[in-house]
Amino acid sequence: MTVSTAQRQLTPADAGQRMYALIEELYPICRSITGNGLRETLRRLQTHVPLQIHEVPSGAEVFDWVVPREWNIRDAYVKNSRGQRVIDFRKHNLHVVNYSVPYRGKVSLEELKSHLHTLPEHPDWIPYRTSYYKDSWGFCITHKQRQQLADDEYEVCIDSTLEAGSLSYGEFFLPGESSDEVLIACHVCHPSLANDNLSGVTLATFLAKHLQETRQRLSYRFLFIPGTIGAITWLSLNEQRIASIRHGLVLAGVGDRGPLTYKRSRQGLAEIDRAAAHVLKHSGKKHDLIDFSPYGYDERQFCSPGINLPVGRFSRSQHGTFPEYHTSADNLDFVRPESLAESFEICASILSVLEENATYLNLNPKCEPQLGRRGLYRAIGGPADSGVSEMALLWVLNLSDGSHSLLEIAERSGMRFAALRQAAKVLVEHDLLKECLG
Amino acid sequence: MTVSTAQRQLTPADAGQRMYALIEELYPICRSITGNGLRETLRRLQTHVPLQIHEVPSGAEVFDWVVPREWNIRDAYVKNSRGQRVIDFRKHNLHVVNYSVPYRGKVSLEELKSHLHTLPEHPDWIPYRTSYYKDSWGFCITHKQRQQLADDEYEVCIDSTLEAGSLSYGEFFLPGESSDEVLIACHVCHPSLANDNLSGVTLATFLAKHLQETRQRLSYRFLFIPGTIGAITWLSLNEQRIASIRHGLVLAGVGDRGPLTYKRSRQGLAEIDRAAAHVLKHSGKKHDLIDFSPYGYDERQFCSPGINLPVGRFSRSQHGTFPEYHTSADNLDFVRPESLAESFEICASILSVLEENATYLNLNPKCEPQLGRRGLYRAIGGPADSGVSEMALLWVLNLSDGSHSLLEIAERSGMRFAALRQAAKVLVEHDLLKECLG
Amino acid sequence: MTVSTAQRQLTPADAGQRMYALIEELYPICRSITGNGLRETLRRLQTHVPLQIHEVPSGAEVFDWVVPREWNIRDAYVKNSRGQRVIDFRKHNLHVVNYSVPYRGKVSLEELKSHLHTLPEHPDWIPYRTSYYKDSWGFCITHKQRQQLADDEYEVCIDSTLEAGSLSYGEFFLPGESSDEVLIACHVCHPSLANDNLSGVTLATFLAKHLQETRQRLSYRFLFIPGTIGAITWLSLNEQRIASIRHGLVLAGVGDRGPLTYKRSRQGLAEIDRAAAHVLKHSGKKHDLIDFSPYGYDERQFCSPGINLPVGRFSRSQHGTFPEYHTSADNLDFVRPESLAESFEICASILSVLEENATYLNLNPKCEPQLGRRGLYRAIGGPADSGVSEMALLWVLNLSDGSHSLLEIAERSGMRFAALRQAAKVLVEHDLLKECLG
């Protein structure tokens, strides 16, 4: 499965290296579902893709939800009675529970412990925790750190603000020949977690760059949004756009070494589901196809019953199935340029199938046309030279009765989409086939 | 899979013990498809459940059949020339071919043998034979008995009557909130065979007792009928009731040690078929699901093409697949209280699914509702506490678009019906869901 | 699966022997897609079946194709400078590329080689090559022959004609009670290749003889046609007949030792597809069922999208999958009378299913009819005598609601078609069933 011509300028290997470099750049920023870290991240993405940054004010009602107050944090620490920072936000921004309310005070070890989160089974890792919708504060530390805390009086400081502000998200629309849209969405709200989801953010960025380099048939809409509340906000503010979305992909966790994974949309047999299955099947790479379930990332919102868009999810290892998930071990070592390159190549191929899929009508449907006199068939009877392209011609002719798309012909024949696409092109040139429009 | 609250008064283990005791009580009675043994059995069941005993006169035309003359038997024997009873009905009521015509006479050994039935492969067992629709007489004995018969003149006596009378059956109707009915039928015509079908008779009896203890949504109709002719008679006399029957179970052979077995209705995908499959799948017990075939017990009549009710059959070992079938070895040792208890529990669970299955409409279908502010979702992001009930909430919300029942959501999600039922209840309480009626 | 009564006159073993003898007779003739060899072959078939020989003039337009000039050949050779025939058409008619244009001239070894075809991997075999639609000439020889050719000046002679004439094909129509037709087609254009397709030609011939011996319900049309152009020609000239064709079989390569193979029609679930699957499944013989693909023999034309007839293909080893394919090794040793006999038996059985398949209506659909009083059921209850025919009666009664054919009942029940057919016959005789017409 090769990616279309535009990619000559951006090979998968190049893309993988550049995506990794961008992950390195964004990794230190402390993001959340609102605030300056998120805003700063979107601004840096603008140096790659001309995305528009939207701000939705706190308090805005979005379906059943309300846009929360904006959270920003300058510093956070716990000092022992000798004034030493035993927990220090400046060392790792996972140390503070995301969305912790401002707090200053002295607490006993016992009280402190009720605000600490650790991972006993991975004593060197810091967990990632959030408290978006409940006013509370807390720290996340390694289990070893916790075990070293002596009985003492501790000074706690969470120098955060939680105030009226806005929720930021990025949007990039790439118009194509058709108003039919492909939606590509990624959550951009997590702090220093490399795979979840700087990998998805950079994959979306480089797919956008890739598509920009050549004119496309379909229009593309890229969303860089905070998880859950961002998807809900966008859908709530853009209900009239939903009808134009023909296909969609949520990109999340695409940089680790795990198998390529496609999670089907709620519809299950949508064109995106079939395109992804086709590309993965012919990729020769280890992969998993999994059914929709109402858990995971923002496919939960795009596939809610009142929205029900044909939006699947592309990932590598599935969230929650590997120990590094939502811990400090999801770091720059956990993602690999080669994995990112592979994810880029597969997604570009899936989009290429969507771009090029079409349904045709055989203009000579009664018996086969004489391919030989058109130079499309071997002249001397005998074993086929290669057989491949002749078989593609025959399959396209046989099933182009107006009710089978090229992708469906690929499924039935077991042949690669690209070979059938090439056959259809040649047959159109010879006036043996025409595209069914509408 | 737990049975509903009503069962607290009647645990499966209790039910199993009490069913076994009732089997012991009924075992010695010589039943047939008509007659006093059948009538006496129904009367004893009345001490457990207020069933009504119907009498349909001999000669009544019921579809293609005619209710036969009533058969009763006082005694039957074969005496040798020394006046010794070498075959004695008083020792085992399987010794006489059921529905044997009255006969008295002297016969040679050779002639006698033409009226004897044995099981050479199980020389200590007595076979069970009937001759309902052909006037004849005969005896069933062990093969060993037969081998000991000397050349002699034998006196044969079958002190039976075959006269105009009536066919008896028992019916118990338990009205529910809805006029939609569940039909539960068992054949009650066999003489001293414990599993086939005193086990089914007692299971029906105790399910009726169990359902009586609490008000149900559905109505229940229990039929205690002679096999084949009883089902045909009831259907013929109650054609106008057929339209109310929404689900049904035939209970037969439910007390042996074999795997739990559900045989699908002719419809194959009826709600009863899916409910039974769901309960068995999640039971953790050895079980078989088998397709409909037009052989077996009274599902043959309920699933005939002109009736075609969604009636499946619940059994343990399948009839005809074990050597004890239709022999004296189907005795009180062949059925176990534990097996009866398990059958009771599974059937009660199946009925509970039918009772509680419903289709809902998500009242907040665009994106997920904010479960957190309703106290339905963990507050601090991180690994799910248990995940189970949250997943149930999400599945019910996602698929409650008016076209998926809870049972269908259970099938698609792989979750237990009870968990989804609980989630639906909570969501209704929070005005996030409403039941689709009609 | 037994073949119908008519076959008593023609057992499969007889048919196999006689088919083999006919292959021996036809093998030496040099056939092509037009010309006297083809014509002579059809004339010899007329001694077995009264087929009509049609002649379609060169230049006739048939759909996208044109009937080619007629090709005939008297002699062909290559002589060395000593006047010895080093390649001699008289020794094997595969030696000349079929449809070679007339040629006489002297050529160097190098030039000669550009006109030679060999099989290096099988140095003793002669390949079979054609050049129907490109004016060229050539010879096919063993690879050993080629290696022995010395540097020399060679005299080439191809004493062929390629002139306006006609394309010949044979057609035999056997009218039945119904105007619904079964189409049986075989390609008859190949020169000395025994399996491909004298085996198919003789199988078609003997099936025609077999069907002639008794009156059939369906009408049968046998086509003995040159491959591709013959099918296209017939379809083009007989478009108005297409609507009458209900089922069809292409017969090709049916005499080798390989497994029985049925290739489904493009429709995939047509009655012929199901009949063939049923017969093969119950045959107890090694077999393959393969999906339609637009490659192979004339099913390509019959299953083109604008024709789309329910025509499958019956073969043994699949073309192109065995080394002897299209070589001189496809000779009289490659086909066996036993294989031909088996193919005959299977095809006759498939046709028998098509003949006898019907949909019935149970005239007593409410509960089972009382089979016992009609002598159709064992009188004394107990283990079934054989069970088989009773089960067939019960299945036919249960599913004869006007929407299941006997073949569909066979599929659902797992029983043999013949047993169900017999049951239906008996039930019709007892006024319990009637055929649904139309």
Side-chain angles (χ1 to χ4, degrees):
Chain A
M1 185 65 49
T2 61
V3 200
S4 73
T5 50
Q7 205 179 326
R8 284 176 205 142
Q9 288 88 45
L10 186 63
T11 66
D14 277 353
Q17 290 295 344
R18 292 169 67 187
M19 285 160 66
Y20 189 81
L22 181 54
I23 290 174
E24 287 181 307
E25 176 190 342
L26 300 175
Y27 181 73
I29 301 172
C30 183
R31 280 165 293 274
S32 184
I33 56 171
T34 61
N36 292 325
L38 169 59
R39 216 168 267 122
E40 170 66 12
T41 301
L42 296 174
R43 273 192 216 109
R44 296 206 191 183
L45 295 180
Q46 282 179 321
T47 65
H48 294 267
V49 172
L51 57 84
Q52 193 179 348
I53 300 180
H54 296 265
E55 299 284 350
V56 183
S58 302
E61 293 187 5
V62 289
F63 293 136
D64 189 54
W65 301 61
V66 173
V67 171
R69 289 167 295 169
E70 181 174 328
W71 184 69
N72 283 292
I73 185 158
R74 274 180 297 266
D75 195 7
Y77 57 80
V78 173
K79 284 184 182 165
N80 61 17
S81 56
R82 282 167 291 161
Q84 296 168 315
R85 289 194 173 207
V86 294
I87 304 175
D88 187 357
F89 172 67
R90 295 176 313 195
K91 289 194 179 161
H92 204 301
N93 59 38
L94 292 187
H95 273 321
V96 71
V97 169
N98 205 292
Y99 252 71
S100 280
V101 296
Y103 182 79
R104 275 174 198 279
K106 302 220 169 175
V107 297
S108 66
L109 175 60
E110 195 185 9
E111 188 182 343
L112 177 62
K113 280 186 171 176
S114 72
H115 290 271
L116 296 182
H117 302 272
T118 70
L119 294 167
E121 65 276 28
H122 294 287
D124 290 316
W125 296 356
I126 309 163
Y128 163 55
R129 292 287 183 275
T130 67
S131 185
Y132 302 138
Y133 300 104
K134 184 184 171 195
D135 281 0
S136 70
W137 61 267
F139 289 90
C140 300
I141 57 174
T142 71
H143 201 64
K144 281 190 182 160
Q145 267 182 296
R146 179 190 165 116
Q147 284 171 320
Q148 287 158 5
L149 292 176
D151 202 8
D152 199 351
E153 191 187 58
Y154 289 95
E155 179 194 339
V156 171
C157 165
I158 294 189
D159 182 11
S160 67
T161 57
L162 195 55
E163 295 167 348
S166 61
L167 173 149
S168 316
Y169 70 85
E171 183 168 11
F172 172 54
F173 181 69
L174 180 64
E177 295 162 23
S178 158
S179 61
D180 289 349
E181 290 187 17
V182 182
L183 181 75
I184 299 191
C186 55
H187 63 283
V188 65
C189 50
H190 287 191
S192 301
L193 298 170
N195 197 42
D196 182 11
N197 187 32
L198 292 175
S199 69
V201 168
T202 57
L203 175 54
T205 303
F206 278 79
L207 286 172
K209 289 169 82 78
H210 162 61
L211 292 168
Q212 260 190 301
E213 287 164 5
T214 179
R215 180 143 181 78
Q216 308 294 332
R217 184 171 69 88
L218 298 165
S219 296
Y220 289 81
R221 186 175 300 277
F222 289 84
L223 298 181
F224 299 85
I225 48 181
T228 305
I229 186 66
I232 292 167
T233 297
W234 188 86
L235 284 165
S236 174
L237 300 178
N238 293 277
E239 276 198 80
Q240 80 294 349
R241 292 198 194 284
I242 293 175
S244 300
I245 299 173
R246 291 283 177 276
H247 324 279
L249 277 178
V250 166
L251 303 177
V254 303
D256 62 275
R257 295 164 179 81
L260 302 160
T261 302
Y262 178 76
K263 176 183 170 182
R264 294 184 185 91
S265 75
R266 182 179 186 268
Q267 298 181 17
L269 284 172
E271 196 172 343
I272 180 73
D273 300 321
R274 305 171 82 156
H278 177 81
V279 168
L280 287 174
K281 174 185 164 189
H282 287 277
S283 69
K285 299 182 194 299
K286 195 154 176 274
H287 65 270
D288 289 316
L289 288 171
I290 59 177
D291 280 332
F292 176 76
S293 75
Y295 199 67
Y297 294 99
D298 282 333
E299 68 274 15
R300 293 164 66 159
Q301 312 309 328
F302 297 120
C303 295
S304 58
I307 306 291
N308 201 24
L309 283 170
V311 173
R313 191 186 80 214
F314 180 77
S315 299
R316 297 193 69 109
S317 293
Q318 284 189 65
H319 62 94
T321 64
F322 50 95
E324 295 87 351
Y325 176 70
H326 275 197
T327 76
S328 58
D330 179 0
N331 57 25
L332 293 170
D333 294 333
F334 190 64
V335 296
R336 305 310 316 148
E338 307 78 58
S339 298
L340 294 164
E342 209 175 58
S343 294
F344 173 84
E345 185 172 15
I346 292 294
C347 286
S349 292
I350 294 170
L351 298 180
S352 160
V353 169
L354 298 176
E355 277 290 325
E356 299 183 352
N357 192 26
T359 300
Y360 293 92
L361 200 63
N362 180 338
L363 297 175
N364 185 83
K366 293 179 181 174
C367 299
E368 294 173 8
Q370 195 178 5
L371 297 176
R373 68 171 156 88
R374 294 172 175 92
L376 301 177
Y377 214 71
R378 62 185 186 275
I380 308 287
D385 309 330
S386 72
V388 172
S389 64
E390 279 177 19
M391 281 310 291
L393 292 168
L394 293 174
W395 272 111
V396 170
L397 284 169
N398 192 273
L399 291 179
S400 286
D401 53 8
S403 65
H404 300 89
S405 71
L406 287 182
L407 184 53
E408 289 165 313
I409 299 173
E411 289 173 343
R412 179 152 170 190
S413 66
M415 298 192 75
R416 284 171 180 270
F417 180 85
L420 297 165
R421 180 73 189 84
Q422 182 58 26
K425 190 160 166 285
V426 166
L427 290 168
V428 168
E429 285 165 8
H430 284 81
D431 294 324
L432 288 171
L433 209 64
K434 76 167 182 187
E435 191 174 346
C436 298
L437 298 172
Chain B
M1 184 66 49
T2 60
V3 200
S4 74
T5 50
Q7 205 179 327
R8 283 176 206 141
Q9 288 86 44
L10 186 62
T11 67
D14 277 352
Q17 291 294 346
R18 293 169 65 187
M19 284 160 66
Y20 188 81
L22 181 54
I23 290 174
E24 288 180 306
E25 176 189 344
L26 300 175
Y27 181 73
I29 301 173
C30 184
R31 279 165 293 275
S32 184
I33 56 172
T34 61
N36 292 324
L38 170 58
R39 216 168 266 123
E40 170 65 14
T41 300
L42 295 173
R43 274 191 215 112
R44 296 206 190 183
L45 294 180
Q46 283 180 321
T47 67
H48 295 266
V49 172
L51 56 85
Q52 193 178 348
I53 301 179
H54 296 265
E55 299 283 350
V56 183
S58 302
E61 294 187 5
V62 289
F63 294 137
D64 189 53
W65 301 60
V66 173
V67 172
R69 288 166 294 169
E70 182 175 327
W71 184 69
N72 283 292
I73 185 160
R74 275 179 298 266
D75 194 8
Y77 57 82
V78 174
K79 284 185 183 164
N80 61 17
S81 55
R82 283 165 291 161
Q84 297 167 314
R85 288 193 173 209
V86 294
I87 306 174
D88 186 356
F89 172 68
R90 295 175 313 196
K91 289 195 178 159
H92 204 299
N93 57 39
L94 292 187
H95 273 321
V96 72
V97 169
N98 206 292
Y99 254 69
S100 281
V101 296
Y103 182 80
R104 277 174 198 276
K106 301 220 169 176
V107 297
S108 66
L109 176 59
E110 196 184 9
E111 189 182 342
L112 177 61
K113 280 185 171 175
S114 73
H115 291 271
L116 297 182
H117 303 271
T118 70
L119 295 167
E121 65 276 27
H122 294 287
D124 290 318
W125 297 356
I126 309 164
Y128 163 54
R129 293 288 182 276
T130 66
S131 185
Y132 301 138
Y133 300 105
K134 184 184 170 193
D135 281 1
S136 70
W137 60 266
F139 289 90
C140 301
I141 57 174
T142 70
H143 201 62
K144 280 189 184 161
Q145 267 182 294
R146 179 189 165 114
Q147 283 171 320
Q148 287 158 6
L149 292 175
D151 202 8
D152 200 349
E153 193 187 53
Y154 289 96
E155 181 194 339
V156 172
C157 165
I158 295 189
D159 183 11
S160 67
T161 56
L162 194 55
E163 295 167 350
S166 61
L167 174 151
S168 317
Y169 70 85
E171 183 167 12
F172 171 54
F173 181 69
L174 181 63
E177 296 163 22
S178 159
S179 61
D180 289 350
E181 291 188 17
V182 183
L183 181 74
I184 299 191
C186 55
H187 63 284
V188 65
C189 50
H190 287 191
S192 301
L193 298 170
N195 197 43
D196 182 11
N197 187 34
L198 292 175
S199 68
V201 168
T202 57
L203 175 55
T205 303
F206 278 79
L207 285 172
K209 288 169 82 77
H210 162 62
L211 292 168
Q212 260 190 301
E213 287 165 4
T214 179
R215 179 144 180 78
Q216 307 294 333
R217 184 170 68 87
L218 298 166
S219 296
Y220 290 81
R221 185 175 302 276
F222 290 83
L223 298 181
F224 300 84
I225 48 181
T228 305
I229 186 66
I232 293 168
T233 297
W234 188 87
L235 284 164
S236 174
L237 299 178
N238 293 277
E239 276 200 80
Q240 80 294 349
R241 293 200 194 283
I242 293 176
S244 300
I245 298 173
R246 292 283 176 277
H247 324 280
L249 277 177
V250 167
L251 304 177
V254 304
D256 62 274
R257 295 164 179 83
L260 301 160
T261 302
Y262 179 75
K263 175 183 170 182
R264 295 184 185 90
S265 75
R266 183 179 185 268
Q267 298 181 17
L269 284 171
E271 195 171 344
I272 180 72
D273 300 321
R274 305 170 83 155
H278 177 82
V279 168
L280 287 174
K281 174 184 166 189
H282 288 276
S283 69
K285 299 183 194 296
K286 193 153 179 273
H287 65 269
D288 289 316
L289 288 170
I290 59 177
D291 280 332
F292 176 75
S293 74
Y295 199 68
Y297 294 100
D298 282 333
E299 68 274 17
R300 292 163 66 159
Q301 312 309 329
F302 297 120
C303 296
S304 58
I307 306 292
N308 201 25
L309 283 170
V311 173
R313 191 186 80 215
F314 180 77
S315 299
R316 297 193 69 109
S317 294
Q318 284 189 63
H319 62 95
T321 65
F322 50 94
E324 295 86 351
Y325 175 70
H326 275 195
T327 76
S328 57
D330 179 1
N331 57 25
L332 293 169
D333 293 332
F334 190 63
V335 296
R336 304 309 315 148
E338 307 80 57
S339 298
L340 294 163
E342 209 175 58
S343 294
F344 174 83
E345 185 172 16
I346 292 294
C347 286
S349 293
I350 294 170
L351 298 180
S352 161
V353 170
L354 298 176
E355 276 290 325
E356 300 184 351
N357 193 26
T359 300
Y360 293 91
L361 200 64
N362 180 339
L363 297 175
N364 185 84
K366 293 178 181 174
C367 298
E368 293 172 8
Q370 194 177 5
L371 297 176
R373 68 172 156 88
R374 295 174 174 91
L376 302 177
Y377 214 70
R378 62 186 185 277
I380 307 287
D385 309 329
S386 72
V388 172
S389 64
E390 279 177 20
M391 281 309 291
L393 291 168
L394 293 174
W395 271 112
V396 169
L397 285 168
N398 192 272
L399 291 180
S400 287
D401 52 8
S403 64
H404 301 87
S405 71
L406 287 182
L407 184 53
E408 290 166 314
I409 299 174
E411 290 173 342
R412 180 153 170 188
S413 67
M415 297 190 77
R416 282 170 182 271
F417 179 86
L420 297 165
R421 181 72 190 83
Q422 182 58 23
K425 190 161 166 284
V426 166
L427 290 168
V428 167
E429 286 165 8
H430 283 82
D431 295 324
L432 289 171
L433 209 64
K434 76 166 181 188
E435 190 174 345
C436 298
L437 297 173
Chain C
M1 186 63 52
T2 60
V3 201
S4 74
T5 49
Q7 205 179 325
R8 284 178 204 141
Q9 288 86 44
L10 186 62
T11 67
D14 277 352
Q17 290 295 345
R18 292 169 66 186
M19 285 161 66
Y20 188 80
L22 181 54
I23 290 174
E24 287 180 307
E25 176 190 343
L26 299 175
Y27 182 73
I29 300 173
C30 183
R31 280 164 293 274
S32 183
I33 56 172
T34 61
N36 291 325
L38 169 58
R39 216 168 266 122
E40 170 64 13
T41 301
L42 296 173
R43 273 191 216 111
R44 296 206 191 184
L45 294 179
Q46 283 180 322
T47 66
H48 294 267
V49 172
L51 57 83
Q52 194 179 348
I53 301 179
H54 296 264
E55 299 284 349
V56 183
S58 302
E61 293 187 5
V62 287
F63 293 137
D64 189 54
W65 301 60
V66 173
V67 172
R69 288 166 295 169
E70 181 175 327
W71 183 70
N72 283 294
I73 185 159
R74 274 179 297 267
D75 194 8
Y77 57 80
V78 174
K79 285 184 182 165
N80 62 17
S81 57
R82 283 167 290 161
Q84 296 166 314
R85 287 191 172 210
V86 295
I87 306 175
D88 186 355
F89 171 69
R90 294 176 312 195
K91 290 193 179 161
H92 205 299
N93 59 39
L94 292 186
H95 274 321
V96 72
V97 169
N98 206 292
Y99 253 70
S100 281
V101 296
Y103 182 80
R104 276 173 197 276
K106 302 219 170 179
V107 298
S108 66
L109 176 59
E110 195 184 10
E111 189 184 342
L112 177 61
K113 281 185 171 174
S114 73
H115 291 270
L116 297 182
H117 303 271
T118 70
L119 295 168
E121 65 275 29
H122 295 287
D124 291 317
W125 296 356
I126 309 164
Y128 164 54
R129 292 289 182 275
T130 66
S131 185
Y132 301 138
Y133 300 104
K134 184 183 171 195
D135 280 0
S136 70
W137 61 266
F139 289 90
C140 300
I141 56 175
T142 72
H143 201 63
K144 281 189 181 158
Q145 267 181 296
R146 180 190 164 115
Q147 283 171 320
Q148 288 158 6
L149 291 176
D151 203 9
D152 199 348
E153 191 186 56
Y154 290 95
E155 180 194 338
V156 172
C157 165
I158 295 189
D159 182 10
S160 67
T161 56
L162 194 55
E163 295 167 349
S166 61
L167 174 151
S168 317
Y169 70 85
E171 183 167 11
F172 172 54
F173 181 69
L174 181 64
E177 294 163 25
S178 157
S179 61
D180 289 350
E181 290 186 18
V182 183
L183 182 74
I184 298 192
C186 56
H187 63 284
V188 64
C189 50
H190 287 191
S192 301
L193 298 169
N195 197 43
D196 183 10
N197 189 32
L198 292 175
S199 69
V201 168
T202 57
L203 176 54
T205 302
F206 278 79
L207 286 171
K209 287 169 83 77
H210 162 61
L211 293 168
Q212 258 189 303
E213 286 164 7
T214 179
R215 179 143 181 81
Q216 307 294 333
R217 185 171 67 90
L218 298 165
S219 296
Y220 290 81
R221 187 176 300 277
F222 289 84
L223 298 180
F224 300 85
I225 47 180
T228 306
I229 186 67
I232 293 167
T233 296
W234 188 86
L235 285 165
S236 174
L237 299 178
N238 293 277
E239 276 200 82
Q240 81 292 350
R241 293 200 195 283
I242 293 175
S244 300
I245 299 173
R246 292 284 176 275
H247 324 280
L249 277 178
V250 167
L251 304 177
V254 303
D256 62 274
R257 294 165 179 81
L260 301 161
T261 302
Y262 178 75
K263 175 183 171 183
R264 294 184 186 91
S265 75
R266 181 179 186 267
Q267 298 181 16
L269 284 172
E271 196 171 343
I272 180 72
D273 300 322
R274 304 170 85 155
H278 177 82
V279 168
L280 287 173
K281 174 185 166 191
H282 288 276
S283 69
K285 299 181 193 298
K286 193 152 179 274
H287 65 271
D288 289 317
L289 288 171
I290 59 178
D291 280 332
F292 177 76
S293 74
Y295 199 67
Y297 294 99
D298 282 332
E299 67 274 15
R300 292 163 68 159
Q301 312 309 328
F302 297 120
C303 296
S304 57
I307 306 292
N308 201 26
L309 283 171
V311 173
R313 192 186 78 214
F314 180 77
S315 300
R316 296 192 71 108
S317 294
Q318 284 189 65
H319 61 95
T321 64
F322 50 95
E324 294 87 352
Y325 176 70
H326 275 197
T327 75
S328 57
D330 179 359
N331 56 25
L332 293 170
D333 292 333
F334 190 63
V335 296
R336 305 308 316 147
E338 307 79 58
S339 298
L340 294 163
E342 207 176 59
S343 293
F344 174 84
E345 186 172 15
I346 292 294
C347 287
S349 292
I350 294 170
L351 299 180
S352 160
V353 169
L354 298 176
E355 277 290 324
E356 299 184 352
N357 193 26
T359 300
Y360 293 91
L361 201 63
N362 180 338
L363 297 175
N364 185 84
K366 293 178 181 173
C367 299
E368 294 173 8
Q370 195 177 5
L371 297 175
R373 69 172 155 89
R374 294 173 176 93
L376 302 177
Y377 215 70
R378 61 187 185 276
I380 308 288
D385 309 328
S386 72
V388 172
S389 64
E390 279 176 19
M391 280 310 291
L393 292 168
L394 293 174
W395 272 111
V396 169
L397 285 169
N398 192 274
L399 291 179
S400 287
D401 52 9
S403 63
H404 300 89
S405 71
L406 287 182
L407 185 53
E408 289 166 313
I409 299 173
E411 289 173 343
R412 180 153 170 191
S413 66
M415 297 191 76
R416 284 171 181 271
F417 179 86
L420 297 164
R421 180 71 190 85
Q422 182 58 25
K425 190 161 165 285
V426 166
L427 290 167
V428 167
E429 286 165 8
H430 283 82
D431 294 325
L432 289 171
L433 209 64
K434 76 166 182 189
E435 191 174 346
C436 299
L437 297 173

